[in-house]
Amino acid sequence: MSKIMVAFIDIENEEGYLEYQNSVLNMFVEMGIEVLAVDDSPKAIEGKERNERMVVIKFETEEAFYEWYDSPEYKKILPIRLANSNGEVHLLEEQNLKF
């Protein structure tokens, strides 16, 4: 079953984060990973506004997520993200509810 990754990223150093962003986007293209949404100012319908980037990415399986996340290529750029931002990453199970 497909997995959806939702990340909340508080970018502290835009210039430093840009290096990570460019590298990870290239990885997504090369690996055929579907980026569903990226928004630097998501609109809160309920709850508090978050002044953070929200990212939503679809992976075909949980294994596909870890194939990317645990890859040597990603491990090489992850420290760039961690040095330039704070955030949360969540992995959700996609639901195809039909009524």
Side-chain angles (χ1 to χ4, degrees):
M1 181 163 282
S2 297
K3 295 292 184 178
I4 304 295
M5 185 197 85
V6 177
F8 303 95
I9 308 295
D10 182 17
I11 300 170
E12 296 176 331
N13 177 353
E14 296 269 347
E15 189 175 311
Y17 189 86
L18 191 59
E19 180 184 355
Y20 165 81
Q21 178 179 299
N22 291 336
S23 297
V24 80
L25 289 176
N26 286 334
M27 289 181 74
F28 292 152
V29 170
E30 290 171 8
M31 296 178 79
I33 296 169
E34 187 176 2
V35 178
L36 300 176
V38 177
D39 195 331
D40 284 332
S41 53
K43 182 178 180 179
I45 304 302
E46 293 185 18
K48 66 179 181 170
E49 291 284 333
R50 294 185 95 136
N51 294 322
E52 302 169 319
R53 176 174 290 178
M54 291 182 80
V55 180
V56 182
I57 300 171
K58 181 177 180 177
F59 292 87
E60 290 305 314
T61 63
E62 187 168 347
E63 292 77 22
F65 168 78
Y66 284 109
E67 183 178 302
W68 163 71
Y69 190 79
D70 291 334
S71 70
E73 295 84 7
Y74 187 67
K75 292 295 184 195
K76 183 177 177 182
I77 65 170
L78 178 58
I80 300 168
R81 177 175 65 86
L82 297 175
N84 293 287
S85 68
N86 287 307
E88 300 173 30
V89 178
H90 303 268
L91 195 58
L92 312 173
E93 187 167 301
E94 182 180 38
Q95 298 294 313
N96 295 311
L97 302 176
K98 297 189 186 339
F99 299 96

